Amino acid sequence: MPLGGSSKLLKALNEAAALGHLLDHGQLTRAELRALTGLSKPTISEAIRRLADADLVVGAGHETGRPGPNAEVYAVNPDAAYAVAMSVRDDAPSLTASLHDLRGAQRARLAVPVDFARTDPATAVTDTVDALCAAAGVARGPVAHVQLAVAGAFDPRDRVIHHVDVPGWSRRGLVDDLAAAAGVPVEVDNDVNLAALAERAHGAARGLPDADGFVLLWLGQTGLGLAIDLGGGTLLRGARGGAGEIGYMPVAADGARDFHDLVSGDAVRELAAGRGLRITDTALLRELAGRIVIGLAAVVAVLDPQLVVLGGEIGRAGGAALGEAVAKAMSRAAPLSTDIAVSTVEDDAPLLGAADAALSAVRHRLIESLRTPGT
């Protein structure tokens, strides 16, 4: 039923509806907003006026090429709020971070080396937010959310990051300290989970129906992990945030204790050095694929995903040849068939996924604030 009326609540709902469509579509005329919301001409005009007065919406020019007067086009104010994404590196301790405006445009990106043995993470995060704003030439005040990608498992019950190798990041109370220091909500997620969000939106899983799930097997230089997309970007995180810690899966092969011993970055480098081969050599890819399938066959048997994506530095270095080798090995080892693909995300996947998550959180919170006036 079309929304209307003059009460404070209905006006707020009208504004939220208009802003939501502008966020989804980018630019719209009043006529297009009326068609999308079902609101009357005076009501949508009032909603636009109120959003403009709140600096949430700006004029974006006029529509041309149609008969009659040129209609004014509206868009969200890109500087109304900013989202920050950060990826915590464990190979050479550092923070890679990006700042995005409300339209989703990246306004700044930095890679900051940090000695976490001497620098508290809360200090590093807040300093990096300030540096991003300075690099973008924008005020710090509109920053509304920080999303962190960490090679570890965040347990929402004790709010502690477990299985993380970067000094200081497993400290109890850290996540709350981060939010207090930053002055905005701070969320933490596993880096491979966030990489899966990027894969769903921008990579090999793009176009996969929402009803179909996929798994991302991350074969990194220093990290190994599994992200489980149950469909439509809904991730399985587990009761303690540890779902997907596939490196701890026990295996009985080649003297290995667990899956990490078979396919971690160190294991792959040792395999290549022992054979005198490069990661792109066919013989090495075939042997690596056999190791991968030892763990992957169990994953497919339990989850039956539509798609398996091979990501991380090693997965991407192996490329299509590694994907084909894994597919052939899977056809022999697993009773269930699944498609195998290699990640097509060219950018830093965990950071890109963190940016998507941060921007989504900012937009959701902004719309909810309009829907509940006075809160």
Side-chain angles (χ1 to χ4, degrees):
M1 178 181 296
L3 295 173
S6 58
S7 72
K8 185 177 181 180
L9 176 59
L10 286 180
K11 285 182 179 179
L13 293 175
N14 294 341
E15 294 163 26
L19 184 64
H21 285 298
L22 285 170
L23 287 169
D24 289 341
H25 294 274
Q27 297 184 350
L28 294 169
T29 64
R30 295 187 191 191
E32 290 169 333
L33 280 167
R34 291 200 307 272
L36 288 167
T37 61
L39 297 170
S40 68
K41 185 175 181 179
T43 301
I44 202 65
S45 295
E46 173 68 7
I48 289 294
R49 183 190 67 78
R50 290 168 64 90
L51 289 170
D53 288 345
D55 288 329
L56 294 176
V57 166
V58 295
H62 291 80
E63 190 179 55
T64 60
R66 293 187 181 183
N70 293 334
E72 188 169 5
V73 177
Y74 298 93
V76 295
N77 177 6
D79 296 309
Y82 303 124
V84 170
M86 290 190 192
S87 180
V88 183
R89 309 296 189 184
D90 58 357
D91 49 352
S94 65
L95 286 174
T96 301
S98 58
L99 182 141
H100 303 258
D101 65 31
L102 193 55
R103 294 183 189 175
Q106 179 177 287
R107 303 286 286 272
R109 180 164 171 169
L110 299 170
V112 183
V114 181
D115 182 357
F116 284 114
R118 298 184 178 183
T119 304
D120 185 77
T123 300
V125 167
T126 54
D127 287 350
T128 302
V129 172
D130 291 340
L132 281 171
C133 292
V138 301
R140 173 70 166 77
V143 172
H145 189 91
V146 176
Q147 175 69 59
L148 287 161
V150 180
F154 175 61
D155 188 338
R157 302 176 310 168
D158 60 14
R159 298 185 60 75
V160 172
I161 305 171
H162 300 275
H163 312 303
V164 59
D165 293 329
V166 184
W169 284 88
S170 61
R171 174 169 62 80
R172 187 172 296 275
L174 171 64
V175 176
D176 294 328
D177 290 346
L178 289 170
V184 297
V186 175
E187 292 187 5
V188 178
D189 204 350
N190 174 263
D191 57 348
V192 182
N193 281 341
L194 292 168
L197 294 182
E199 206 67 56
R200 165 73 77 167
H202 312 283
R206 185 176 184 180
L208 198 67
D210 282 349
D212 290 342
F214 77 98
V215 298
L216 170 64
L217 177 60
W218 187 264
L219 303 165
Q221 291 278 14
T222 60
L224 175 66
L226 184 80
I228 304 162
D229 180 312
L230 299 174
T234 299
L235 298 173
L236 177 64
R237 292 182 171 84
R240 301 168 184 82
E245 293 289 344
I246 194 172
Y248 297 109
M249 178 188 292
V251 297
D254 297 334
R257 298 164 301 172
D258 54 30
F259 196 44
H260 184 273
D261 287 344
L262 287 179
V263 296
S264 68
D266 287 341
V268 173
R269 285 187 286 272
E270 183 179 340
L271 176 64
R275 303 291 189 275
L277 300 172
R278 297 171 300 173
I279 184 64
T280 53
D281 289 332
T282 302
L284 181 64
L285 290 175
R286 189 181 302 118
E287 187 166 354
L288 176 58
R291 291 186 174 196
I292 290 171
V293 166
I294 292 173
L296 193 56
V299 171
V300 171
V302 173
L303 298 176
D304 189 20
Q306 176 65 36
L307 174 69
V308 172
V309 179
L310 306 177
E313 296 87 352
I314 293 173
R316 285 187 53 80
L322 178 61
E324 292 171 5
V326 171
K328 289 180 181 178
M330 283 291 292
S331 68
R332 297 188 295 267
L336 300 176
S337 63
T338 187
D339 296 330
I340 306 291
V342 175
S343 172
T344 58
V345 176
E346 297 291 342
D347 201 354
D348 181 326
L351 185 66
L352 184 59
D356 287 349
L359 187 61
S360 177
V362 169
R363 291 175 170 180
H364 176 76
R365 193 174 300 117
L366 188 57
I367 290 175
E368 287 303 308
S369 70
L370 289 174
R371 286 175 175 163
T372 53
T375 59

